[in-house]
Amino acid sequence: MLSIKELVTEEQDPKVIEKVLPKVQAYCTSNEEVQYIAVQKKTIGVNFSPDCIALTNKRIILIRPKSFGLSLDFKDFSWLHVAEVHMKEAVFGATITIKTTSGQTDSMEDLTKAHARKLYRFTQERKKNKKKKRK
């Protein structure tokens, strides 16, 4: 199991990771481990409760705070049902879009480019490993 120290990078707020990680871990099934958490970083204004994307060995979990961060909305996609993951970079940040095999899509904007690239790289590695397993 990863520690908070292993998940925090120079551009992430450790307080956000400290708050989100235990809740994500409580949401995980047996033998499921959090491997990465990307925290949204708005370029304009203050974001007291940023959205996050958690990657586990079993799924992608989108975490969106509600009611000023007092509760969290979780939306997850099993790796088995993830058809495509796209990344779009803009001037100040990036967007990750997830498309499932059933055609459902969801996205998260205002991620730092570094975090979006890491998420994208991770998803592409999962996709590559999935193809190897099929063969």
Side-chain angles (χ1 to χ4, degrees), residues 22-51:
K23 292 178 182 181
V24 172
Q25 288 172 329
Y27 189 70
C28 289
T29 61
S30 61
N31 300 321
E32 184 174 19
E33 295 180 10
V34 176
Q35 297 177 325
Y36 185 67
I37 297 177
V39 178
Q40 183 183 54
K41 188 171 185 178
K42 299 247 186 213
T43 53
I44 299 173
V46 178
N47 192 1
F48 294 108
S49 299
D51 294 350

Short mmCIF file of all heavy atoms in Angstrom, two decimals, residues 22-51:
data_model
loop_
_atom_site.label_atom_id
_atom_site.label_comp_id
_atom_site.label_asym_id
_atom_site.label_seq_id
_atom_site.Cartn_x
_atom_site.Cartn_y
_atom_site.Cartn_z
N PRO A 22 -7.41 8.01 2.38
CA PRO A 22 -8.11 7.04 3.23
C PRO A 22 -9.52 6.72 2.73
O PRO A 22 -9.98 5.59 2.84
CB PRO A 22 -8.17 7.71 4.61
CG PRO A 22 -7.22 8.84 4.55
CD PRO A 22 -7.00 9.20 3.13
N LYS A 23 -10.18 7.71 2.14
CA LYS A 23 -11.54 7.48 1.63
C LYS A 23 -11.50 6.59 0.39
O LYS A 23 -12.36 5.74 0.21
CB LYS A 23 -12.22 8.81 1.34
CG LYS A 23 -12.49 9.57 2.63
CD LYS A 23 -13.12 10.91 2.40
CE LYS A 23 -13.31 11.59 3.76
NZ LYS A 23 -13.93 12.86 3.67
N VAL A 24 -10.51 6.79 -0.47
CA VAL A 24 -10.36 5.94 -1.65
C VAL A 24 -10.01 4.52 -1.21
O VAL A 24 -10.58 3.55 -1.71
CB VAL A 24 -9.30 6.49 -2.62
CG1 VAL A 24 -9.01 5.50 -3.74
CG2 VAL A 24 -9.73 7.82 -3.19
N GLN A 25 -9.10 4.39 -0.25
CA GLN A 25 -8.71 3.07 0.23
C GLN A 25 -9.89 2.34 0.85
O GLN A 25 -10.03 1.13 0.69
CB GLN A 25 -7.56 3.18 1.23
CG GLN A 25 -6.25 3.55 0.56
CD GLN A 25 -5.14 3.86 1.53
OE1 GLN A 25 -5.37 4.37 2.64
NE2 GLN A 25 -3.91 3.58 1.13
N ALA A 26 -10.77 3.07 1.54
CA ALA A 26 -11.96 2.45 2.12
C ALA A 26 -12.93 2.00 1.04
O ALA A 26 -13.72 1.06 1.23
CB ALA A 26 -12.65 3.44 3.07
N TYR A 27 -12.88 2.62 -0.10
CA TYR A 27 -13.73 2.33 -1.25
C TYR A 27 -13.20 1.13 -2.05
O TYR A 27 -13.92 0.50 -2.80
CB TYR A 27 -13.78 3.59 -2.12
CG TYR A 27 -14.76 3.61 -3.26
CD1 TYR A 27 -16.13 3.67 -3.04
CD2 TYR A 27 -14.30 3.61 -4.58
CE1 TYR A 27 -17.02 3.72 -4.10
CE2 TYR A 27 -15.18 3.66 -5.64
CZ TYR A 27 -16.54 3.71 -5.39
OH TYR A 27 -17.41 3.76 -6.45
N CYS A 28 -11.91 0.83 -1.88
CA CYS A 28 -11.27 -0.25 -2.65
C CYS A 28 -11.72 -1.63 -2.18
O CYS A 28 -12.04 -1.83 -1.01
CB CYS A 28 -9.75 -0.15 -2.51
SG CYS A 28 -9.03 1.24 -3.38
N THR A 29 -11.71 -2.56 -3.13
CA THR A 29 -12.05 -3.94 -2.82
C THR A 29 -10.80 -4.67 -2.32
O THR A 29 -9.71 -4.11 -2.30
CB THR A 29 -12.58 -4.65 -4.09
OG1 THR A 29 -11.55 -4.64 -5.08
CG2 THR A 29 -13.82 -3.96 -4.63
N SER A 30 -10.96 -5.93 -1.95
CA SER A 30 -9.80 -6.70 -1.49
C SER A 30 -8.81 -6.84 -2.65
O SER A 30 -9.20 -6.96 -3.81
CB SER A 30 -10.23 -8.06 -0.97
OG SER A 30 -10.85 -8.80 -1.99
N ASN A 31 -7.56 -6.82 -2.33
CA ASN A 31 -6.47 -6.90 -3.31
C ASN A 31 -6.42 -5.73 -4.29
O ASN A 31 -5.78 -5.83 -5.33
CB ASN A 31 -6.52 -8.22 -4.09
CG ASN A 31 -6.39 -9.41 -3.18
OD1 ASN A 31 -5.63 -9.38 -2.23
ND2 ASN A 31 -7.14 -10.45 -3.46
N GLU A 32 -7.10 -4.66 -3.98
CA GLU A 32 -7.05 -3.46 -4.83
C GLU A 32 -6.17 -2.43 -4.14
O GLU A 32 -6.34 -2.15 -2.96
CB GLU A 32 -8.45 -2.89 -5.06
CG GLU A 32 -8.47 -1.72 -6.00
CD GLU A 32 -9.89 -1.25 -6.33
OE1 GLU A 32 -10.83 -1.59 -5.60
OE2 GLU A 32 -10.03 -0.54 -7.34
N GLU A 33 -5.24 -1.86 -4.89
CA GLU A 33 -4.30 -0.90 -4.33
C GLU A 33 -4.29 0.40 -5.12
O GLU A 33 -4.29 0.36 -6.35
CB GLU A 33 -2.89 -1.48 -4.32
CG GLU A 33 -2.72 -2.67 -3.42
CD GLU A 33 -1.31 -3.21 -3.44
OE1 GLU A 33 -0.41 -2.55 -4.01
OE2 GLU A 33 -1.11 -4.30 -2.87
N VAL A 34 -4.28 1.51 -4.41
CA VAL A 34 -4.15 2.82 -5.05
C VAL A 34 -2.73 2.95 -5.56
O VAL A 34 -1.77 2.73 -4.83
CB VAL A 34 -4.47 3.95 -4.05
CG1 VAL A 34 -4.25 5.31 -4.69
CG2 VAL A 34 -5.88 3.82 -3.51
N GLN A 35 -2.59 3.29 -6.84
CA GLN A 35 -1.27 3.40 -7.43
C GLN A 35 -0.89 4.84 -7.77
O GLN A 35 0.29 5.15 -7.89
CB GLN A 35 -1.20 2.51 -8.68
CG GLN A 35 -1.37 1.06 -8.29
CD GLN A 35 -1.39 0.12 -9.47
OE1 GLN A 35 -1.91 0.45 -10.54
NE2 GLN A 35 -0.86 -1.06 -9.28
N TYR A 36 -1.90 5.71 -7.92
CA TYR A 36 -1.60 7.10 -8.23
C TYR A 36 -2.84 7.94 -7.98
O TYR A 36 -3.96 7.48 -8.21
CB TYR A 36 -1.15 7.26 -9.69
CG TYR A 36 -0.71 8.66 -10.04
CD1 TYR A 36 0.44 9.21 -9.48
CD2 TYR A 36 -1.45 9.45 -10.90
CE1 TYR A 36 0.83 10.50 -9.77
CE2 TYR A 36 -1.06 10.74 -11.21
CZ TYR A 36 0.08 11.26 -10.64
OH TYR A 36 0.47 12.54 -10.94
N ILE A 37 -2.64 9.18 -7.54
CA ILE A 37 -3.74 10.13 -7.39
C ILE A 37 -3.29 11.44 -8.03
O ILE A 37 -2.23 11.97 -7.68
CB ILE A 37 -4.14 10.37 -5.92
CG1 ILE A 37 -4.67 9.08 -5.29
CG2 ILE A 37 -5.19 11.49 -5.83
CD1 ILE A 37 -5.02 9.20 -3.83
N ALA A 38 -4.10 11.95 -8.95
CA ALA A 38 -3.85 13.26 -9.55
C ALA A 38 -4.88 14.23 -9.01
O ALA A 38 -6.08 13.91 -8.96
CB ALA A 38 -3.97 13.18 -11.07
N VAL A 39 -4.42 15.40 -8.59
CA VAL A 39 -5.30 16.41 -8.00
C VAL A 39 -5.48 17.56 -8.98
O VAL A 39 -4.52 18.06 -9.55
CB VAL A 39 -4.70 16.95 -6.68
CG1 VAL A 39 -5.58 18.04 -6.09
CG2 VAL A 39 -4.49 15.81 -5.70
N GLN A 40 -6.72 17.96 -9.16
CA GLN A 40 -7.05 19.07 -10.04
C GLN A 40 -6.43 20.35 -9.50
O GLN A 40 -6.39 20.57 -8.28
CB GLN A 40 -8.58 19.19 -10.08
CG GLN A 40 -9.12 20.24 -11.00
CD GLN A 40 -10.63 20.31 -10.88
OE1 GLN A 40 -11.15 20.47 -9.78
NE2 GLN A 40 -11.32 20.19 -11.98
N LYS A 41 -5.95 21.19 -10.40
CA LYS A 41 -5.36 22.47 -9.99
C LYS A 41 -5.89 23.56 -10.90
O LYS A 41 -5.44 23.71 -12.03
CB LYS A 41 -3.84 22.40 -10.06
CG LYS A 41 -3.17 23.61 -9.47
CD LYS A 41 -1.68 23.41 -9.36
CE LYS A 41 -1.05 24.58 -8.64
NZ LYS A 41 0.38 24.40 -8.48
N LYS A 42 -6.87 24.29 -10.41
CA LYS A 42 -7.45 25.38 -11.19
C LYS A 42 -6.44 26.51 -11.33
O LYS A 42 -5.74 26.84 -10.39
CB LYS A 42 -8.71 25.92 -10.50
CG LYS A 42 -9.80 24.88 -10.35
CD LYS A 42 -10.96 25.21 -11.18
CE LYS A 42 -12.09 24.24 -10.89
NZ LYS A 42 -12.88 23.96 -11.99
N THR A 43 -6.38 27.06 -12.53
CA THR A 43 -5.43 28.16 -12.77
C THR A 43 -6.03 29.51 -12.40
O THR A 43 -5.31 30.44 -12.09
CB THR A 43 -5.01 28.18 -14.25
OG1 THR A 43 -6.17 28.21 -15.07
CG2 THR A 43 -4.17 26.97 -14.58
N ILE A 44 -7.35 29.59 -12.43
CA ILE A 44 -8.01 30.85 -12.10
C ILE A 44 -8.86 30.64 -10.86
O ILE A 44 -9.66 29.71 -10.79
CB ILE A 44 -8.90 31.33 -13.27
CG1 ILE A 44 -8.04 31.56 -14.50
CG2 ILE A 44 -9.66 32.59 -12.89
CD1 ILE A 44 -8.80 31.87 -15.75
N GLY A 45 -8.68 31.49 -9.86
CA GLY A 45 -9.46 31.38 -8.64
C GLY A 45 -8.90 30.35 -7.69
O GLY A 45 -7.90 29.70 -7.93
N VAL A 46 -9.59 30.19 -6.57
CA VAL A 46 -9.17 29.26 -5.53
C VAL A 46 -10.09 28.06 -5.57
O VAL A 46 -11.30 28.19 -5.70
CB VAL A 46 -9.25 29.94 -4.14
CG1 VAL A 46 -8.88 28.98 -3.05
CG2 VAL A 46 -8.34 31.17 -4.11
N ASN A 47 -9.52 26.89 -5.46
CA ASN A 47 -10.29 25.66 -5.47
C ASN A 47 -10.08 24.97 -4.12
O ASN A 47 -9.10 24.27 -3.91
CB ASN A 47 -9.84 24.76 -6.63
CG ASN A 47 -10.78 23.62 -6.87
OD1 ASN A 47 -11.79 23.48 -6.21
ND2 ASN A 47 -10.45 22.79 -7.83
N PHE A 48 -11.03 25.17 -3.19
CA PHE A 48 -10.90 24.63 -1.84
C PHE A 48 -11.07 23.11 -1.82
O PHE A 48 -10.53 22.44 -0.96
CB PHE A 48 -11.91 25.29 -0.90
CG PHE A 48 -11.64 26.75 -0.69
CD1 PHE A 48 -12.47 27.71 -1.24
CD2 PHE A 48 -10.55 27.16 0.06
CE1 PHE A 48 -12.22 29.06 -1.05
CE2 PHE A 48 -10.28 28.51 0.25
CZ PHE A 48 -11.13 29.46 -0.31
N SER A 49 -11.85 22.59 -2.74
CA SER A 49 -12.11 21.15 -2.80
C SER A 49 -11.89 20.66 -4.23
O SER A 49 -12.83 20.50 -4.99
CB SER A 49 -13.55 20.86 -2.36
OG SER A 49 -13.76 21.26 -1.05
N PRO A 50 -10.63 20.42 -4.59
CA PRO A 50 -10.36 20.01 -5.97
C PRO A 50 -10.83 18.59 -6.25
O PRO A 50 -10.89 17.75 -5.36
CB PRO A 50 -8.84 20.11 -6.07
CG PRO A 50 -8.35 19.97 -4.67
CD PRO A 50 -9.42 20.54 -3.79
N ASP A 51 -11.17 18.35 -7.51
CA ASP A 51 -11.50 17.01 -7.97
C ASP A 51 -10.19 16.22 -8.06
O ASP A 51 -9.11 16.80 -8.16
CB ASP A 51 -12.15 17.04 -9.35
CG ASP A 51 -13.52 17.71 -9.35
OD1 ASP A 51 -14.05 17.99 -8.26
OD2 ASP A 51 -14.04 17.96 -10.44
#
